[in-house]
Amino acid sequence: MELEIQGIEAQEFFHVPVLSRKVIEGLAVRPGGHYLDATVGGGGHSRLILESAADVRLTAIDRDEDALAAAQKYLAEYGRVQFSLSNFAAYQFTSNTFDGIIADLGVSSYHLDRPERGFSFRHTADLDMRMDKRQPLTAATAINEWDEGELAEIFFKYGEERLSRRIARRIVEKRPFHTTTQLAEAIATSVPPKYRYGRIHPATRVFQALRIVVNDELNSLETFLEKAPNALVPGGRIAIISFHSLEDRLVKHSFRNSPLLRVLTKKPITAQEEEIASNPRSRSAKLRIAERKEE
């Protein structure tokens, strides 16, 4: 049964599927198979799976209601799709269900390009960053209420920000913050000029860290990686695309250490120059694939 979400302008959610050809090849989509898109987004990877073989069934989940509404619209012509509003860590997996599972991690272009979601400092917006707008914790809560030590720790741990203590000190001195641009400006003025005018904006890693913490991304991924292999049929495959080293490390070790999986990618698959030119987001994408061992 399809989940109906009211009042969402689904057509505004647009997602270019990253490493799409490699994902479809890696999943080895089979006719009549049942597949799970654990981060359906706008439905890009799901559509490719549905078009890859006859009579494919698909379960599509996402924690973001905007994304799920967009996927429902984009995949409306297919009658073999079941939708669920869920964080993939909370999804109720059952054993030997899926012939393949795909998860495209991180934040989408939609989230970065929609100012009101508060993921980006390119536009002035409330400090939000929630993928699931039903949850209480926002980026503003963390920035304005957590102590200096906690902030420094998350900036270093989740943003790999080497100036984490210096930035945290300035934030505590200048808060409260209400908008993305206020926070970004405070971060920029807390670092040396050489760092301030470097290749990436000095707020980039802090915003990444906040997003990961607000959405509990790494803990959710760890839970998902523990549960998902058991949901594959023997010979079924799991493909995961990550966009930063913390995620990729978790996927790599989870695949390698799982007694149920055989790793198919000794090194992660990355985008070629042609794809990077047409979709710059793909530059940092890393795809790893594993297969459920035959029983």
Side-chain angles (χ1 to χ4, degrees):
M1 186 177 79
E2 287 196 358
L3 175 73
E4 293 297 334
I5 300 173
Q6 303 298 327
I8 305 295
E9 295 184 43
Q11 71 276 12
E12 294 183 4
F13 196 113
F14 181 69
H15 172 238
V16 179
V18 171
L19 295 168
S20 55
R21 186 171 60 84
K22 294 295 184 182
V23 166
I24 299 305
E25 287 176 2
L27 286 176
V29 180
R30 60 187 75 163
H34 187 188
Y35 293 83
L36 171 69
D37 190 337
T39 53
V40 69
H45 285 116
S46 284
R47 190 178 188 115
L48 292 171
I49 291 168
L50 290 162
E51 291 175 347
S52 294
D55 301 319
V56 170
R57 290 179 297 131
L58 185 86
T59 297
I61 66 176
D62 205 288
R63 67 196 298 186
D64 187 318
E65 61 182 354
D66 290 10
L68 204 64
Q72 284 183 280
K73 182 168 184 174
Y74 188 56
L75 304 174
E77 65 192 270
Y78 300 95
R80 306 180 302 277
V81 186
Q82 183 175 8
F83 296 91
S84 176
L85 182 63
S86 174
N87 180 341
F88 59 24
Y91 184 74
Q92 296 300 308
F93 286 100
T94 52
S95 301
N96 300 315
T97 302
F98 299 111
D99 295 276
I101 297 172
I102 168 70
D104 182 359
L105 306 176
V107 66
S108 71
S109 301
Y110 165 85
H111 290 120
L112 296 173
D113 294 338
R114 294 285 289 189
E116 68 273 16
R117 299 301 297 268
F119 285 93
S120 172
F121 48 79
R122 288 180 295 168
H123 314 280
T124 298
D126 290 341
L127 278 166
D128 193 323
M129 299 195 189
R130 292 172 299 170
M131 291 183 185
D132 183 345
K133 290 182 281 189
R134 299 170 297 177
Q135 72 174 48
L137 179 62
T138 66
T141 303
I143 283 294
N144 293 320
E145 298 181 11
W146 292 4
D147 67 37
E148 183 179 322
E150 285 179 293
L151 293 175
E153 183 180 358
I154 67 167
F155 298 160
F156 183 76
K157 184 177 180 182
Y158 299 123
E160 299 175 296
E161 173 54 71
R162 61 187 182 88
L163 298 179
S164 59
R165 291 180 181 175
R166 184 171 181 160
I167 292 169
R169 191 178 313 122
R170 176 58 62 90
I171 286 172
V172 171
E173 287 171 358
K174 296 287 186 180
R175 66 190 187 187
F177 294 96
H178 303 290
T179 68
T180 53
T181 46
Q182 284 176 343
L183 177 60
E185 187 177 344
I187 294 166
T189 58
S190 72
V191 302
K194 181 181 178 182
Y195 196 70
R196 193 180 312 162
Y197 303 110
R199 186 173 59 85
I200 67 167
H201 193 285
T204 301
R205 294 186 182 92
V206 170
F207 271 63
Q208 173 184 295
L210 277 172
R211 191 201 81 221
I212 288 171
V213 168
V214 166
N215 295 290
D216 200 24
E217 291 178 29
L218 295 181
N219 287 330
S220 293
L221 176 58
E222 199 166 0
T223 301
F224 169 72
L225 289 167
E226 287 173 5
K227 292 160 59 173
N230 191 54
L232 289 168
V233 300
R237 295 184 176 185
I238 180 169
I240 300 192
I241 302 169
S242 60
F243 288 88
H244 58 74
S245 60
L246 299 173
E247 291 175 335
D248 182 57
R249 203 174 302 139
L250 265 178
V251 175
K252 175 183 176 181
H253 292 302
S254 180
F255 279 7
R256 181 188 292 168
N257 296 333
S258 172
L260 298 177
L261 296 178
R262 180 171 66 91
V263 176
L264 302 181
T265 48
K266 290 183 179 178
K267 292 185 177 180
I269 297 168
T270 56
Q272 300 299 305
E273 288 301 321
E274 183 180 351
E275 180 174 5
I276 292 170
S278 62
N279 183 13
R281 179 175 177 255
S282 66
R283 182 182 301 278
S284 55
K286 292 182 178 180
L287 169 64
R288 293 186 186 271
I289 303 166
E291 183 177 77
R292 172 77 185 263
K293 295 174 181 176
E294 299 288 345
E295 295 176 344

